[in-house]
Amino acid sequence: MSNKQELNKSLTAVNGWAISTGGMIGISIFMISGQISGIAGPAACLGFALAALVVIIIALCISEISSACTKAGGANVHPQFALGGKAGDFLSFFSGWAMWGSQGLGPAIIAITCASYLAKVLSLFGIIVPIPDNIMAVIIILILTVLNSRGGEGSKAFQLITTIGIIGAMLIFVFGSLTHAKPELLVDFMPNGPKSVLQAASICILSYGGWSTIPAMAEEFKNPGKDIPKAIISSIITCGLLYTIFCYAMNAQLPGSILAQSTSPPVDAALQFTSWGALLISVAGLLACLSTVNGWIVTGPRVFFSMGRDGVIPKVFGKVSDNGVPGVALWVTSIGQCLLALTGMVQLLIPMVTFVLMISWGISLISMFFLRYKHPETKAPFRAPGFPLVLIVALAALVYMMSLLDSTAVMAGCVWQVVGVVLYYLFKYSSLHKLCE
């Protein structure tokens, strides 16, 4: 283990696009597309488009502060950079703890689904996997952790290949579905009115959370001022277009009421026009899960690494291995993911992951405001257009999104954040502070 505290600068805008896109094209499009089709019918596709516009507005603001503050960690370094002092220290820890809870431990949730898709793909060839999904999830997490611990080249290649593979499979499905479309299913395009589209959009917004992995890796970009905004915005646009046409193509094969009841709606839709549809979409789902798990395994430890390097948690987490990766933070995060996968209660944490991710977004938006007004001398390489209106709209959209979460999400997220506050004061003011020096 090296004592250096700087990460290798090897990422380009293309690498960032692959990581961000792969982090977004996860299980959500293969799961919630059927649910929102039951809500809005064929117009559910507009829900994905509208959600993409809202997320782009939020991302424009966070891209500005990310291009100015190019340290690893993203949301957990923005408050200290913009506010400074005790308020900046506390909000940085608070936001970093939220981000680590979502993107650090979140891969355990997706790894379980990944194991399920793997079993489904193998079953199509008559192969039965005698390993429980939670054990297989642990194996997947450990393999990807080893891959990432050896440096960025293997991880970057894996992410780029899987992302391109997912997009290719989804486009093949779209082409096949639209060439065999059933026009009668699309005549009543918006059966439940405009309000149903807004309801669908509120659910779809959560499908775009993967882009926030990019600010956490800001230090590893060759030209962060330009590459970070390009990677974030291009990935959201890619996913927005892909989600929209994919959802429309599904509704061209089956009514929304049937898609809503399906456990794998894209598979059922593909089977309407081809016998190999189940294999195609199952493989795409497997690649999507692998890509998302890998993307979050890459970025989650960067948050802990940044907090350790800044001395708000024990310094050992801020060490970089000889391969140029945050080794201790990576393996501690991986162990947490494995333990979470083994509990069998992973799905209970999904609402918490959503809530705490939104908290970190909100703190970054507030930090962007203070950056503009408290440090006018700091000229970010990327400037969000339409300021301050774009920031007001972003904050309003975020508050609206949070208001749609149920009480379980809010309570679970609050408990997680309270644990973080306790740790902050222990590491800051107790004898444990020695570990952070």
Side-chain angles (χ1 to χ4, degrees):
M1 181 70 65
S2 170
N3 289 322
K4 69 178 182 177
Q5 293 187 318
E6 292 184 1
L7 300 169
N8 292 338
K9 292 184 178 292
S10 60
L11 297 180
T12 65
V14 174
N15 297 136
W17 169 84
I19 292 171
S20 181
T21 302
M24 282 188 276
I25 306 181
I27 58 175
S28 58
I29 183 61
F30 293 95
M31 293 175 63
I32 71 168
S33 52
Q35 178 186 355
I36 65 169
S37 294
I39 294 172
C45 64
L46 299 181
F48 278 116
L50 181 59
L53 291 176
V54 172
V55 175
I56 285 175
I57 293 172
I58 295 173
L60 284 172
C61 298
I62 297 180
S63 291
E64 176 172 328
I65 192 169
S66 297
S67 70
C69 177
T70 57
K71 291 177 63 179
N76 80 287
V77 297
H78 295 161
Q80 182 56 49
F81 180 76
L83 280 77
K86 292 184 177 180
D89 285 342
F90 176 76
L91 287 176
S92 285
F93 185 95
F94 195 75
S95 181
W97 183 253
M99 183 63 74
W100 189 68
S102 62
Q103 294 185 352
L105 301 180
I109 301 170
I110 306 168
I112 293 286
T113 305
C114 185
S116 177
Y117 264 98
L118 177 60
K120 185 177 294 186
V121 170
L122 293 177
S123 69
L124 294 174
F125 295 96
I127 302 173
I128 305 300
V129 180
I131 303 175
D133 284 351
N134 60 339
I135 302 298
M136 181 59 71
V138 170
I139 295 173
I140 291 170
I141 290 170
L142 291 176
I143 290 174
L144 292 177
T145 300
V146 171
L147 178 65
N148 280 281
S149 70
R150 299 178 66 84
E153 293 304 320
S155 175
K156 287 187 295 183
F158 175 85
Q159 196 69 19
L160 185 60
I161 291 170
T162 54
T163 299
I164 293 174
I166 298 162
I167 293 175
M170 294 176 73
L171 289 177
I172 291 173
F173 165 78
V174 169
F175 178 79
S177 176
L178 295 183
T179 54
H180 297 84
K182 302 173 183 177
E184 65 274 13
L185 295 176
L186 304 172
V187 173
D188 192 3
F189 184 71
M190 196 180 295
N192 300 318
K195 189 175 180 179
S196 65
V197 176
L198 294 175
Q199 185 180 356
S202 68
I203 299 173
C204 295
I205 283 175
L206 304 180
S207 302
Y208 295 96
W211 66 267
S212 53
T213 58
I214 298 305
M217 304 182 71
E219 190 173 319
E220 297 170 75
F221 280 87
K222 295 178 179 179
N223 189 352
K226 293 182 178 180
D227 291 343
I228 289 175
K230 286 180 180 179
I232 291 175
I233 302 304
S234 63
S235 63
I236 296 174
I237 292 175
T238 298
C239 291
L241 292 173
L242 190 60
Y243 288 174
T244 300
I245 60 174
F246 187 81
C247 186
Y248 182 82
M250 280 176 46
N251 280 271
Q253 294 300 321
L254 289 171
S257 58
I258 295 178
L259 291 171
Q261 296 173 3
S262 173
T263 56
S264 53
V267 174
D268 289 342
L271 286 172
Q272 301 303 307
F273 63 89
T274 174
S275 59
W276 46 264
L279 177 61
L280 174 69
I281 299 302
S282 294
V283 170
L286 175 60
L287 288 175
C289 292
L290 282 172
S291 183
T292 302
V293 172
N294 185 66
W296 285 17
I297 285 177
V298 168
T299 57
R302 267 65 177 178
V303 176
F304 237 34
F305 160 79
S306 177
M307 295 169 73
R309 186 173 60 177
D310 292 343
V312 295
I313 61 175
K315 278 286 188 179
V316 67
F317 292 105
K319 291 185 177 182
V320 178
S321 71
D322 294 333
N323 292 323
V325 299
V328 175
L330 175 64
W331 279 104
V332 169
T333 301
S334 177
I335 291 171
Q337 294 164 359
C338 291
L339 293 175
L340 199 59
L342 288 173
T343 63
M345 300 175 63
V346 175
Q347 294 298 328
L348 296 177
L349 298 177
I350 291 178
M352 184 208 77
V353 167
T354 301
F355 180 69
V356 296
L357 178 62
M358 291 181 182
I359 288 176
S360 68
W361 284 3
I363 293 175
S364 288
L365 290 174
I366 294 171
S367 300
M368 184 263 198
F369 170 82
F370 279 97
L371 177 66
R372 281 281 188 117
Y373 283 103
K374 193 175 180 179
H375 302 285
E377 74 284 356
T378 301
K379 301 297 183 183
F382 175 82
R383 306 275 282 185
F387 183 87
L389 180 60
V390 67
L391 179 60
I392 295 172
V393 173
L395 284 168
L398 189 63
V399 171
Y400 175 71
M401 283 169 21
M402 295 178 79
S403 72
L404 297 172
L405 296 174
D406 61 25
S407 58
T408 302
V410 176
M411 288 298 296
C414 288
V415 169
W416 175 258
Q417 291 304 111
V418 167
V419 172
V421 171
V422 172
L423 290 176
Y424 171 78
Y425 280 101
L426 286 175
F427 287 132
K428 185 78 172 177
Y429 298 108
S430 75
S431 59
L432 294 177
H433 181 68
K434 295 179 180 179
L435 298 173
C436 304
E437 296 175 346

